[in-house]
Amino acid sequence: MIVIACAAEPDPLRRVVDYVKQRGRTIRQYDLTGEGDPDLLTLEDVVRTRIIRSRISNEERDWLVARAAEGQELWSVVAPDARLADADPAEVGLLYDRALALFKHFHDQRPSGLATGKISKVLHLKRRGLFPILDSQLADRYRRKAADCARRHRADRPGLRLAYWIAIRGDLVDPTNVAGLWRLREDLASHQDELVRRAAHLTDLRLLDILTWR
């Protein structure tokens, strides 16, 4: 069992297997294709996000690539294998704040129409264990928990209204989920379907994301 936003998912293996079989192109071309230089965002990287319906236009694609090149120092302080589970919001100036600075580098200067979901799909591609894919489904699932987390952390982080990263991180570090994700990965690795077996290499964050998908 894995718990997502306070709701139990009793059969995560079936859910992930169904996703892989229904979204095989996504797994092959978005999740399992090498990301190249982890500190360099290319036009091809951004185009790949269209596989998961980012709907990023050519103008937005060009802006994202140019903006990424302007923030090389922000990429360099966030390790390619960084994990959201390790991004403790109580640790000032460390991974959580560094990830937030990289996200805000894109988000705060974005052109009209470049939504948070689009940016997150690009950043997830370059830091797969750190940046969740904040599309509408995940936002709906986590909205209440994100509001609760924001209230708990408002003293440390004034103005915080919806703490999605903190809410998702809570599920990643929950002992029940740590054990559940370990077991899920073992079951995926021994599955008869080759693409399902390859899905065992997805990050915990991405597996959790798949389990939110409807």
Side-chain angles (χ1 to χ4, degrees), residues 54-114:
S54 68
R55 298 182 176 88
I56 292 175
S57 68
N58 287 343
E59 292 78 12
E60 292 168 339
R61 174 203 62 192
D62 295 344
W63 183 88
L64 285 162
V65 171
R67 187 66 176 163
E70 295 168 0
Q72 285 303 308
E73 73 284 355
L74 298 174
W75 293 102
S76 65
V77 297
V78 180
D81 59 352
R83 304 186 312 150
L84 183 59
D86 297 326
D88 187 343
E91 296 178 340
V92 177
L94 297 183
L95 180 56
Y96 184 92
D97 285 335
R98 293 170 183 174
L100 184 61
L102 181 54
F103 180 80
K104 287 169 68 68
H105 175 71
F106 294 92
H107 187 269
D108 290 356
Q109 301 294 325
R110 70 193 191 281
S112 175
L114 187 59

